[in-house]
């Protein structure tokens, strides 16, 4: 076993390719998993370009695993290269092998299937992605590695096996691929949980302007509010702990107000149905002691306030 003492074996015995038992870094700690015995998933087979991501749909069992490696100073390629070698040795053809620049940057990151932060952290400035397809079994595997200053992160997704995949077809140009799936998920989560994070709303550091951004999350929210005309929500901004509390509350409130204004002006939601508030750093989702935790805490949420007529 190569790099003895540094790697552990990840055995997914339920998969058809029993020979592929990935050796992960021994320091890897599992942080999240999501399995489906029968599912459909769009596997990236090309870079994000011309407003869309080329994918191939796989049907069958799907497993998703995320890991944190508490070793500072690693690069994404250092994390991913040994796994890539194992995947090739198991007979997979690498149809996509790219980094944060060649994959398509921000657009690629938010078009792919990623387990939620802080369990899987993706540094926009430092990630590497690989897709492998097996020519005989019909199985697909994707590897995503990312690095922050204090730790590295890995995600392994395996799909299909014994099912002939659909042809490769680029998705139509939309603000985010799989827009309808995302819309259905956002609406269901908001109604069930009472709040939801708008993942495709991004503010540049120190700014409160959306700069003409489009948002499939806001579109989904507007559709939900059109379908339920009595629903009232609050848009709530959150920050990390960099800076003072009052300054962060001011910034978070201004960002929430920008989102509220966009809902009203671009999506036709009545102003009386949307509030805007700022919490600064008073409601964190993760520790502010790490870069990945601070990124998870910088967010805009929508909270259900009530529904008229109930």
């Amino acid at each position: 076993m190569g790099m003895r003492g540094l790697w552990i074996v990840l055995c997914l015995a339920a998969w058809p390719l029993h020979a592929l038992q990935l050796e992960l870094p021994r320091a890897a700690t599992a942080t999240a998993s999501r399995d489906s015995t029968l599912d459909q998933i769009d596997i990236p087979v090309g870079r994000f370009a011309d407003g869309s991501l080329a994918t191939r749909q796989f049907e069958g069992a799907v497993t998703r695993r995320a890991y944190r490696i508490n070793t500072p100073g690693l690069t994404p390629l250092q994390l991913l290269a040994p796994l890539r070698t194992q995947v090739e040795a198991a007979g997979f053809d690498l149809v996509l092998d790219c980094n944060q620049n060649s994959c398509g940057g921000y657009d690629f990151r938010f078009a792919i299937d990623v387990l939620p932060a802080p369990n899987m952290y993706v540094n926009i400035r430092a990630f590497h992605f690989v897709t492998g397809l097996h020519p005989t079994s019909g199985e697909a595997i994707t590897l995503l590695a990312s690095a922050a200053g204090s730790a590295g992160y890995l995600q392994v997704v395996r799909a299909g096996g014994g099912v002939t995949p659909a042809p490769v077809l680029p998705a139509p140009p939309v603000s985010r691929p799989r827009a309808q799936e995302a819309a259905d998920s956002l609406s269901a989560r908001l109604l069930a949980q009472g709040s939801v994070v708008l993942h495709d709303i991004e503010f540049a550091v120190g700014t409160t302007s959306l700069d003409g951004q489009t948002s499939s999350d806001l579109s989904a929210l507007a559709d939900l509010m059109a379908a339920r005309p009595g629903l009232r929500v609050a848009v709530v901004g959150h920050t990390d702990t960099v800076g003072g509390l009052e300054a962060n509350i001011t910034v978070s409130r201004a960002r929430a107000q920008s989102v509220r204004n966009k809902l009203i002006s671009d999506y036709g939601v009545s102003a009386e149905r949307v509030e805007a508030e700022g919490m600064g750093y008073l409601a964190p989702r993760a520790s502010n002691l790490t870069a990945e935790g601070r990124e998870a805490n910088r967010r805009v949420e929508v909270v259900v306030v009530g529904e008229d007529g109930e």
Side-chain angles (χ1 to χ4, degrees):
M1 182 180 297
M3 301 183 69
R4 186 176 300 274
L6 295 178
W7 298 83
I8 56 174
V9 174
L10 170 65
C11 178
L12 301 180
W15 289 92
L17 295 183
H18 300 294
L20 179 54
Q21 298 179 353
L22 290 177
E23 295 180 44
L24 296 176
R26 183 165 295 279
T29 301
T31 58
S33 65
R34 188 165 80 240
D35 298 345
S36 304
T37 56
L38 181 60
D39 203 351
Q40 288 182 333
I41 185 173
D42 293 328
I43 296 293
V45 294
R47 296 161 173 80
F48 191 99
D50 300 323
S52 65
L53 179 67
T55 62
R56 178 175 292 183
Q57 187 178 90
F58 282 76
E59 184 176 286
V62 178
T63 69
R64 303 167 176 88
R65 299 285 189 275
Y67 305 87
R68 176 185 169 108
I69 299 90
N70 291 314
T71 304
L74 296 174
T75 68
L77 191 55
Q78 284 176 306
L79 290 167
L80 189 139
L83 302 180
R84 182 177 60 187
T85 299
Q86 295 171 55
V87 167
E88 286 188 287
F92 284 80
D93 296 327
L94 300 187
V95 297
L96 181 59
D97 187 349
C98 57
N99 65 16
Q100 67 278 357
N101 296 318
S102 55
C103 283
Y106 174 96
D107 291 312
F108 180 89
R109 154 66 182 91
F110 284 97
I112 61 175
D113 189 305
V114 178
L115 289 165
N119 298 310
M120 180 59 196
Y121 170 68
V122 182
N123 183 351
I124 296 297
R125 294 172 293 278
F127 69 83
H128 203 106
F129 189 92
V130 163
T131 295
L133 304 181
H134 199 278
T136 58
S137 73
E139 184 185 7
I141 184 168
T142 69
L143 308 172
L144 172 62
S146 185
S150 59
Y153 289 81
L154 284 169
Q155 177 178 278
V156 181
V157 176
R158 300 182 72 168
V163 177
T164 302
V168 177
L169 293 174
V174 292
S175 59
R176 289 287 177 264
R178 298 176 293 156
Q180 187 57 54
E181 177 185 338
D184 293 343
S185 175
L186 182 141
S187 298
R189 285 185 288 118
L190 179 59
L191 294 175
Q193 301 171 7
S195 67
V196 68
V197 175
L198 302 175
H199 286 293
D200 64 354
I201 292 293
E202 291 287 328
F203 290 94
V205 176
T207 70
T208 59
S209 173
L210 291 173
D211 293 327
Q213 287 186 41
T214 58
S215 168
S216 59
D217 284 351
L218 285 185
S219 179
L221 177 61
D223 288 345
L224 174 64
M225 296 187 75
R228 299 181 69 147
L231 193 67
R232 292 176 288 111
V233 301
V235 180
V236 185
H238 300 268
T239 68
D240 58 25
T241 53
V242 177
L245 177 57
E246 291 303 321
N248 275 301
I249 287 178
T250 298
V251 168
S252 61
R253 183 181 293 118
R255 288 176 174 176
Q257 189 63 51
S258 292
V259 174
R260 176 181 182 271
N261 292 342
K262 195 171 189 66
L263 270 172
I264 296 168
S265 62
D266 293 8
Y267 296 94
V269 177
S270 173
E272 292 76 19
R273 300 176 63 195
V274 188
E275 303 172 16
E277 299 293 342
M279 291 294 294
Y281 54 65
L282 294 178
R285 294 198 304 170
S287 171
N288 279 295
L289 298 178
T290 65
E292 54 270 35
R294 290 190 293 273
E295 177 166 303
N297 290 334
R298 295 191 294 268
R299 67 199 189 277
V300 176
E301 288 182 305
V302 174
V303 177
V304 174
V305 175
E307 189 162 22
D308 295 338
E310 288 192 343

